[in-house]
Amino acid sequence: MLIRKAVYLVSSPSFDKCPKADRPEYAFIGRSNVGKSSLINMLAGNQKLAKTSASPGKTQLINHFDVTSAAAEKSPSEKWYLVDLPGYGFAKVSQSSRRKWEQMIENYLRKRENLTMVFVLIDSRHKPQKIDLEFISQLDKWQVPFSLVFTKSDKEKPGVVKANVQAFFDALLETWQFLPRHFVTSSEKKQGRDDLLQFIQECNQR
């Protein structure tokens, strides 16, 4: 897949204020500080597209980006939405603000009719975190299609990353029969970019 254009479109406070649901939509979500903005920028080939921040909890709205891509150089263009969702877990906000975020995210995930795939970002430097496993379990209950994206693979030794990914799958297999699609990525080294974009391309053509 070639990205021809990727631009910020709008930030919405609720799913019913989102842009018209007239094209495939791919949402990215994860714990605060998992490297979501860096991954989005890496995929889009634009380091300034999504705003990165050292302080967790910076994304507080549903952020839509308008993407135009093509399967190959001379192929016709396709349009789709890339969505940056607020992180879950640790963030220095009040309980009421956190609950409001959670409700906004739940409504979006369960009611957004053109949502094609949710990419759940997992920090590959750490062993399985309860909060990630619980969020994935919730997606399964809501019957929301999702894939896993393990981030920051360049920040740890390959053997540690591999062991952490396997440990995550082992934790899932305690209650799951089948494992979801997964990708191991590094925003700095652009690892996983082609595979992720190819997967989005395949989903667009279904």
Side-chain angles (χ1 to χ4, degrees):
M1 176 192 275
L2 297 173
I3 302 293
R4 287 184 170 158
K5 191 177 177 186
V7 294
Y8 166 77
L9 188 61
V10 69
S11 296
S12 311
S14 60
F15 92 97
D16 53 344
K17 299 284 196 298
C18 289
K20 192 175 177 185
D22 59 356
R23 64 196 71 175
E25 187 156 301
Y26 301 87
F28 290 75
I29 192 168
R31 274 198 329 277
S32 294
N33 223 14
V34 75
K36 184 158 48 77
S37 297
S38 298
L39 180 83
I40 288 171
N41 291 342
M42 183 263 280
L43 288 176
N46 179 352
Q47 292 310 306
K48 295 180 181 176
L49 189 65
K51 291 177 183 174
T52 56
S53 170
S55 56
K58 201 72 176 171
T59 304
Q60 299 182 19
L61 298 167
I62 301 167
N63 300 300
H64 273 77
F65 298 90
D66 198 357
V67 184
T68 304
S69 66
E73 195 69 55
K74 295 183 179 179
S75 301
S77 292
E78 296 177 330
K79 282 185 166 289
W80 46 280
Y81 289 131
L82 188 157
V83 179
D84 182 7
L85 290 173
Y88 54 83
F90 172 78
K92 291 179 181 174
V93 293
S94 67
Q95 197 65 40
S96 60
S97 292
R98 187 175 298 178
R99 183 64 200 130
K100 193 175 165 190
W101 284 5
E102 289 170 353
Q103 196 61 58
M104 174 180 72
I105 293 168
E106 179 179 338
N107 283 336
Y108 168 81
L109 292 172
R110 298 182 75 176
K111 298 177 182 178
R112 184 66 170 161
E113 59 204 44
N114 63 325
L115 182 58
T116 306
M117 182 65 59
V118 176
F119 291 103
V120 182
L121 276 56
I122 311 290
D123 192 328
S124 69
R125 299 173 300 174
H126 305 306
K127 288 183 168 60
Q129 304 284 306
K130 185 182 175 188
I131 191 168
D132 291 325
L133 294 166
E134 286 176 347
F135 183 76
I136 288 167
S137 177
Q138 201 63 62
L139 288 178
D140 184 48
K141 284 177 189 165
W142 293 337
Q143 297 184 315
V144 175
F146 71 91
S147 300
L148 302 179
V149 179
F150 292 91
T151 63
K152 303 187 180 186
S153 67
D154 62 303
K155 308 292 186 191
E156 192 50 274
K157 293 176 182 173
V160 174
V161 170
K162 187 176 180 181
N164 286 340
V165 170
Q166 187 57 53
F168 199 92
F169 290 151
D170 290 343
L172 283 180
L173 286 170
E174 289 176 16
T175 52
W176 292 54
Q177 186 177 359
F178 302 106
L179 292 172
R181 182 84 176 253
H182 80 282
F183 304 86
V184 177
T185 67
S186 160
S187 296
E188 283 192 20
K189 297 191 173 180
K190 293 186 168 54
Q191 179 189 350
R193 183 177 190 265
D194 291 345
D195 290 341
L196 261 168
L197 290 177
Q198 179 63 35
F199 180 58
I200 290 173
Q201 175 75 35
E202 291 167 8
C203 292
N204 280 343
Q205 293 175 345
R206 284 176 191 165

